[in-house]
Amino acid sequence: QPTMAARRLKPLFDRVLVQRAEIVAKIGSIYVPETAQSKMSEGLVIATGPGARNQAGETVKMSVQEGDKVLLPEYGGEKVEIDKQEYFLFRETELLGVLS
């Protein structure tokens, strides 16, 4: 659940504030060893900027919106800590896709 502080942060231009999905250490009654756990590549969009600007100076609408589940790259993003919770800022072009 995103904190109120995270909802107050408004990313600029084509940046997207994402909260990574929690890593599941146990599936049913089976524990997944740390070595088998990789960084989760799924996240929840908390906030988006208005969009990037094109050559004419017009704002290009974002293709993701708050509440979307997105597929993230394994590396990248700028880590941001708000109220002791970890979030990441990505450029929209770094996101790999929207999950349905």
Side-chain angles (χ1 to χ4, degrees), residues 2-3 11 14 20 24 34 40 46-47 50 55 58 66 72-73:
T3 64
D14 64 338
R20 282 192 187 268
V24 177
E34 278 188 43
M40 285 301 293
I46 303 302
Q55 293 274 352
E58 301 162 325
E66 186 178 319
L72 303 171

Side-chain angles (χ1 to χ4, degrees), residues 74-89:
E74 185 174 353
Y75 301 103
E78 185 69 31
K79 187 173 20 171
V80 178
E81 190 173 308
I82 303 171
D83 291 343
K84 298 181 182 180
Q85 286 197 349
E86 197 174 84
Y87 299 92
F88 291 85
L89 278 169

Side-chain angles (χ1 to χ4, degrees), residues 33-90:
E34 278 188 43
T35 54
Q37 297 174 10
S38 63
K39 285 189 175 182
M40 285 301 293
S41 59
E42 187 178 315
L44 178 67
V45 174
I46 303 302
T48 67
R53 297 223 170 118
N54 62 18
Q55 293 274 352
E58 301 162 325
T59 301
V60 178
K61 185 180 174 194
M62 299 286 279
S63 58
V64 296
Q65 59 188 359
E66 186 178 319
D68 282 350
K69 286 184 181 178
V70 291
L71 187 62
L72 303 171
E74 185 174 353
Y75 301 103
E78 185 69 31
K79 187 173 20 171
V80 178
E81 190 173 308
I82 303 171
D83 291 343
K84 298 181 182 180
Q85 286 197 349
E86 197 174 84
Y87 299 92
F88 291 85
L89 278 169
F90 287 93

